[in-house]
Amino acid sequence: ASQQAAHSVHLPHRPYPPDDGTRSRLTMSSAFLFKNLLGTILLPPTNGLALLLVAALFRRRRWAFGLALLGGTLLFLQSLPFVASSLIAPLEARAGGVFVSAQGARAIVVLGSGLRRDAPEYGSDTVTERSLVRLRYGATLARRLQFPVLIAGGVPLHASRSEADVMAAIAEREFGVPVRWKESESRDTADNARMSAQILKPAGIRRVVLVTQAFHMPRARQLFEGAGLEVIPAPTDFKG
């Protein structure tokens, strides 16, 4: 009986550790969230608000008043038009100027920039103002150059569709421009570049006309060139 009891003992279940793919996805998600959080904190107006919040939490400390003054001053200065223009002008100066010639490019890549979720007037998700500005200029160039179009943009948090899907529908329905490729898995501009290259290179395309805001063009161009594509910049929405 004791032998039967010994054989009937069940060891507690030990869950299997996550495989390499799951661990990699978790690491990438954590890094993505941390990068977005850090970027949000460093950019206006969150940088000034963050300083004010820290000052409020430690208001009994001697340095709290100085920190609050710094945060308030930062918010005020960043709200002034000439300060905003001064901050954005160096980026726009590196954007490459207004598009003139395709210089051997064979496709147009338009980058998404977020969605408005559940827009009541449209009955579904629609594009943000930045995405629409990029899309309109991309459609203008597509009609002028007669190039195929790739739209890049993944699924934002809590959205039901990808930026690429929503923008492609608008391009075709409202601008009359067909979209040949949609890159709909990316999370940021680095993903846009890498995944767009994976789509275009097998099609024999290595030089593209890249459409995005002028202030965003220097970073976007660097990432696309890092992914192995030659970039002809087509910046839009100059602010400076």
Side-chain angles (χ1 to χ4, degrees):
S2 61
Q3 291 179 347
Q4 292 178 351
H7 285 298
S8 65
V9 173
H10 295 283
L11 294 175
H13 174 68
R14 299 180 64 184
Y16 292 105
D19 58 30
D20 290 341
T22 302
R23 188 180 295 111
S24 176
R25 286 191 295 271
L26 290 173
T27 301
M28 289 176 63
S29 297
S30 299
F32 173 74
L33 290 173
F34 176 76
K35 183 179 72 172
N36 278 359
L37 178 62
L38 183 61
T40 300
I41 292 173
L42 293 177
L43 290 174
T46 316
N47 50 10
L49 293 173
L51 293 178
L52 291 176
L53 177 61
V54 174
L57 292 174
F58 296 93
R59 57 186 176 275
R60 297 184 183 277
R61 302 294 180 91
R62 289 184 176 181
W63 46 263
F65 176 77
L67 191 64
L69 185 62
L70 176 62
T73 302
L74 192 61
L75 285 174
F76 172 72
L77 290 176
Q78 290 172 157
S79 69
L80 299 176
F82 79 89
V83 174
S85 297
S86 299
L87 291 174
I88 206 169
L91 293 174
E92 293 191 341
R94 295 165 50 205
V98 175
F99 175 83
V100 176
S101 168
Q103 301 176 41
R106 296 176 53 199
I108 296 169
V109 177
V110 183
L111 303 184
S113 185
L115 296 177
R116 283 180 54 210
R117 290 179 49 243
D118 299 323
E121 68 272 36
Y122 293 102
S124 63
D125 297 341
T126 190
V127 294
T128 61
E129 182 180 350
R130 280 186 184 177
S131 293
L132 186 58
V133 166
R134 299 176 186 186
L135 184 59
R136 182 186 181 191
Y137 188 47
T140 298
L141 292 178
R143 285 193 295 267
R144 183 196 308 175
L145 301 171
Q146 295 297 303
F147 283 177
V149 175
L150 182 150
I151 295 180
V155 182
L157 189 64
H158 303 309
S160 58
R161 302 168 66 192
S162 71
E163 295 172 12
D165 285 335
V166 176
M167 292 174 70
I170 294 173
E172 294 171 354
R173 184 176 61 248
E174 301 181 25
F175 294 115
V177 172
V179 174
R180 182 173 298 183
W181 307 280
K182 291 184 287 185
E183 180 285 292
S184 56
E185 302 295 327
S186 56
R187 294 186 173 187
D188 54 20
T189 310
D191 281 353
N192 289 157
R194 178 173 55 84
M195 295 178 181
S196 295
Q198 291 172 353
I199 294 171
L200 294 171
K201 286 180 180 179
I205 297 173
R206 293 184 174 273
R207 178 175 292 187
V208 300
V209 175
L210 183 63
V211 179
T212 187
Q213 261 80 13
F215 75 86
H216 184 235
M217 183 59 75
R219 179 171 180 270
R221 180 177 185 175
Q222 181 182 32
L223 290 169
F224 270 75
E225 290 177 342
L229 293 173
E230 297 179 51
V231 172
I232 307 302
T236 186
D237 197 22
F238 288 85
K239 302 292 187 183

